[in-house]
Amino acid sequence: MSRPTMLQHLTLLWDCPLVIVVIFISGIGGTFQYGFGISSMTSPSAYIKELVNQTCIQRYDVYLRDWQVSLIWSFTVSIFCIGGLLGSLLAAPCLSTIGRRKCLLFNNLVAMVGAVLMLLSQRAMSFEMIMAGRFLYGVNAGISLCAHSLYTVECTPKILQGVVGVTIATFISMGKFVGQLLGLSELLGTEDRWPWLLGFSGFAALFQLVSLSFLPESPKFLLLNQGDQRACEKALTRLWGNKDHSVEVEEMLEEKVTLQNTRSRSVMELFRERSIRWQLITIIVTFLSLQLSGLNAVYFYSQEVFRAAGIHEDQLRYATLGTGMCETLSSLVCFVIIERAGKKVLVFAGFMAMTVALVLLTITLYLQHYIPWTSYCSMALIFIFLFSYSIGPAGVLAPLPGVIFTQAFKASAFTVGFAINWIGMFIVGMLFPILVENLDSFSFVIFLLVCLTTGLYVYFNVPEMKNKSALEIAVDFDRMHSKSGRWKGKKKDELPPNVCTTSQTKF
């Protein structure tokens, strides 16, 4: 039987209009918030620093030095990561108890409170309100990364889950781009309008709070977690159309029988379960590399490169906006080719291409002080790096825990993956300025080593996941890493109960 083409995938998706609605609504209040939170602080940075100074003068009659203002500013930016880490740790119990949809709904209230603090901060002359708002935005983003990923994939037909999973990263890129766009001085990046820029996340949360209320809960959660088969069938009918879904329900029931004595596992139980050790290591390595791959360094150097290439100072913001557009469009390319190329191939090729781009970028950045035209090469390499990042690792890795883990471990796996992502972001945020000060453009050497190591890890330690169930992926992991190769040549019904319990699920 031939594999469906991209056109057939799009046709199947078009036949499920409510799934398209789920993708959009869950994305706007989901990973979009994460991307927007990353980019929205760049434009108003000077105004926020001025607010810090004015607050201390008015309140304490104290004039801060530059390093003191920079310290407060760094903490204001970094507290987003602390909130995100907390949100990621809260996600697993919330997703397992109240469900995917309700978790997203209640999470919007957190973002809306943060938005109110942002909007009132300038009038109240309180930079502390911005800190509190950033922390709440982080909590919201930490929960939404997990909840959006899980809810979207579980509401999608099995044949479309690989394609739809890419949209998780697409909304992150869209969030970054919208943050850059609204930060332009022609829009909200002005001295009197910047609080509206920071408060924009509240409007996105309000939109999801109202619209998501009319969408169904994840069918898998209804059947496997709540045991409500009637509600599951009703949700499937609404999501996938008024057709026969008996095959999908039967697969879920088989999984339910297999997992009937298996409750949702905690993060600690995930770490203690030896049969999925390599899946867990894969999540840790790949998610950490998303932050340590040098993406922030590339964005940091982009303005310097564009300036050296002769772009006028007033036009730099538009050139930077182009990097956000590149990342967004690249994720759409991943959407088109993922089923044809395969997840492992895209991740490996992406990290290898990023490694080569960083090697060449290090060389051209060093040479541009001596050979002016190399700045144009640096500019091209920045876009090549962003393209490689978005088309490979960023597009594939976000939904990965839902692909290689079963229902019992999914929520905890997403929590671990995104918690590591937040820790990596915090590390980069704190150490990157020190690296730049001491190593300058040679700081890319550290990041290219991360990309190279991760690419080689994926090539030698991760099986291909295209068109495979989690059970088949688990067996492939075992074949690659078991000295005895005890499952080699074994069929699904010949596997022992503990392997089925850990790994059996359909995608």
Side-chain angles (χ1 to χ4, degrees):
M1 183 178 178
S2 62
R3 189 160 37 87
T5 64
M6 174 50 60
L7 181 60
Q8 290 173 318
H9 277 113
L10 293 176
T11 302
L12 291 170
L13 185 60
W14 187 255
D15 290 336
C16 304
L18 195 62
V19 172
I20 299 176
V21 175
V22 166
I23 293 170
F24 178 75
I25 292 177
S26 61
I28 288 297
T31 53
F32 175 90
Q33 301 281 46
Y34 170 77
F36 187 84
I38 292 174
S39 66
S40 60
M41 291 291 284
T42 303
S43 175
S45 59
Y47 305 125
I48 296 174
K49 291 177 181 178
E50 181 62 26
L51 177 64
V52 172
N53 261 323
Q54 292 178 358
T55 300
C56 291
I57 293 171
Q58 181 175 310
R59 193 184 300 166
Y60 309 112
D61 197 26
V62 173
Y63 292 83
L64 297 179
R65 297 179 181 178
D66 289 342
W67 71 267
Q68 293 172 316
V69 175
S70 297
L71 183 62
I72 294 174
W73 164 252
S74 299
F75 182 75
T76 303
V77 173
S78 300
I79 201 171
F80 180 73
C81 302
I82 299 174
L85 178 59
L86 176 61
S88 295
L89 297 176
L90 292 174
C94 291
L95 289 169
S96 300
T97 53
I98 66 175
R100 289 53 162 142
R101 186 178 70 97
K102 287 183 179 178
C103 187
L104 281 170
L105 284 172
F106 291 134
N107 191 36
N108 289 314
L109 300 177
V110 178
M112 291 168 66
V113 173
V116 171
L117 293 173
M118 294 292 195
L119 289 170
L120 297 178
S121 59
Q122 186 182 41
R123 179 170 295 184
M125 289 294 291
S126 173
F127 64 86
E128 296 90 348
M129 293 175 68
I130 299 178
M131 289 182 181
R134 283 285 290 176
F135 176 76
L136 292 176
Y137 277 177
V139 174
N140 169 267
I143 294 175
S144 65
L145 276 171
C146 303
H148 169 209
S149 303
L150 200 51
Y151 179 66
T152 303
V153 171
E154 290 187 351
C155 285
T156 305
K158 179 177 61 177
I159 195 172
L160 296 174
Q161 286 179 355
V163 172
V164 171
V166 177
T167 64
I168 297 167
T170 302
F171 277 98
I172 295 178
S173 301
M174 285 177 58
K176 292 179 182 179
F177 176 71
V178 172
Q180 293 172 336
L181 180 64
L182 294 181
L184 295 176
S185 58
E186 292 86 350
L187 297 175
L188 300 179
T190 63
E191 187 173 2
D192 57 332
R193 293 196 294 267
W194 65 263
W196 292 97
L197 170 62
L198 299 187
F200 181 80
S201 290
F203 295 101
L206 179 61
F207 171 78
Q208 189 187 73
L209 181 66
V210 174
S211 56
L212 192 63
S213 305
F214 299 98
L215 298 180
E217 177 57 271
S218 155
K220 271 201 165 186
F221 176 81
L222 291 171
L223 183 59
L224 300 185
N225 292 74
Q226 295 189 331
D228 193 339
Q229 182 175 341
R230 184 175 179 181
C232 171
E233 293 172 348
K234 184 178 179 180
L236 287 174
T237 300
R238 288 189 62 194
L239 289 166
W240 303 352
N242 191 17
K243 57 184 94 169
D244 184 17
H245 303 297
S246 58
V247 175
E248 290 84 358
V249 173
E250 185 63 29
E251 288 179 352
M252 292 184 198
L253 288 173
E254 289 178 3
E255 182 177 349
K256 182 176 176 61
V257 170
T258 304
L259 303 176
Q260 60 184 351
N261 297 320
T262 306
R263 55 182 172 77
S264 294
R265 302 296 185 90
S266 66
V267 171
M268 291 304 299
E269 289 173 315
L270 175 66
F271 276 92
R272 287 198 295 262
E273 180 59 61
R274 297 189 62 183
S275 62
I276 52 174
R277 177 184 58 184
W278 281 101
Q279 288 93 316
L280 179 61
I281 293 174
T282 298
I283 293 298
I284 293 173
V285 170
T286 55
F287 273 73
L288 189 60
S289 68
L290 284 175
Q291 291 301 326
L292 302 184
S293 61
L295 181 68
N296 293 331
V298 168
Y299 272 117
F300 178 86
Y301 274 97
S302 62
Q303 286 202 1
E304 177 186 327
V305 170
F306 295 147
R307 189 180 291 112
I311 296 177
H312 194 272
E313 198 71 29
D314 293 338
Q315 305 300 317
L316 282 177
R317 51 187 176 171
Y318 301 109
T320 305
L321 190 64
T323 60
M325 177 64 76
C326 174
E327 195 174 340
T328 303
L329 294 178
S330 300
S331 66
L332 296 178
V333 175
C334 181
F335 177 87
V336 173
I337 69 172
I338 185 171
E339 288 301 322
R340 180 178 296 274
K343 297 179 177 67
K344 176 179 179 177
V345 172
L346 284 179
V347 174
F348 170 70
F351 276 118
M352 291 297 101
M354 290 160 65
T355 302
V356 174
L358 289 179
V359 170
L360 297 176
L361 186 58
T362 302
I363 296 172
T364 56
L365 285 175
Y366 176 76
L367 292 178
Q368 73 181 17
H369 300 293
Y370 308 99
I371 309 175
W373 60 263
T374 57
S375 60
Y376 296 101
C377 299
S378 299
M379 186 164 59
L381 288 167
I382 284 176
F383 285 102
I384 291 173
F385 177 89
L386 293 174
F387 179 80
S388 304
Y389 174 83
S390 300
I391 202 174
V396 176
L397 296 180
L400 187 63
V403 175
I404 63 178
F405 287 94
T406 61
Q407 193 76 6
F409 289 100
K410 273 186 186 180
S412 295
F414 272 111
T415 294
V416 170
F418 288 118
I420 290 171
N421 180 73
W422 287 108
I423 293 172
M425 184 188 293
F426 183 79
I427 291 173
V428 170
M430 297 302 294
L431 296 183
F432 179 63
I434 301 174
L435 290 176
V436 172
E437 184 178 345
N438 290 277
L439 299 176
D440 198 36
S441 60
F442 288 100
S443 59
F444 284 120
V445 174
I446 298 173
F447 300 122
L448 70 87
L449 289 175
V450 171
C451 292
L452 178 62
T453 303
T454 306
L456 293 176
Y457 171 85
V458 171
Y459 183 80
F460 290 107
N461 295 285
V462 179
E464 179 52 67
M465 296 161 281
K466 181 173 61 177
N467 299 325
K468 291 183 180 180
S469 68
L471 174 59
E472 293 167 328
I473 294 172
V475 173
D476 287 342
F477 265 110
D478 189 83
R479 284 171 179 163
M480 295 182 75
H481 300 290
S482 174
K483 295 180 180 179
S484 62
R486 58 188 182 280
W487 310 132
K488 188 173 183 179
K490 296 291 185 181
K491 297 181 180 179
K492 174 179 167 181
D493 55 1
E494 297 175 324
L495 295 173
N498 66 307
V499 175
C500 292
T501 300
T502 304
S503 307
Q504 186 174 352
T505 187
K506 294 283 185 180
F507 290 92

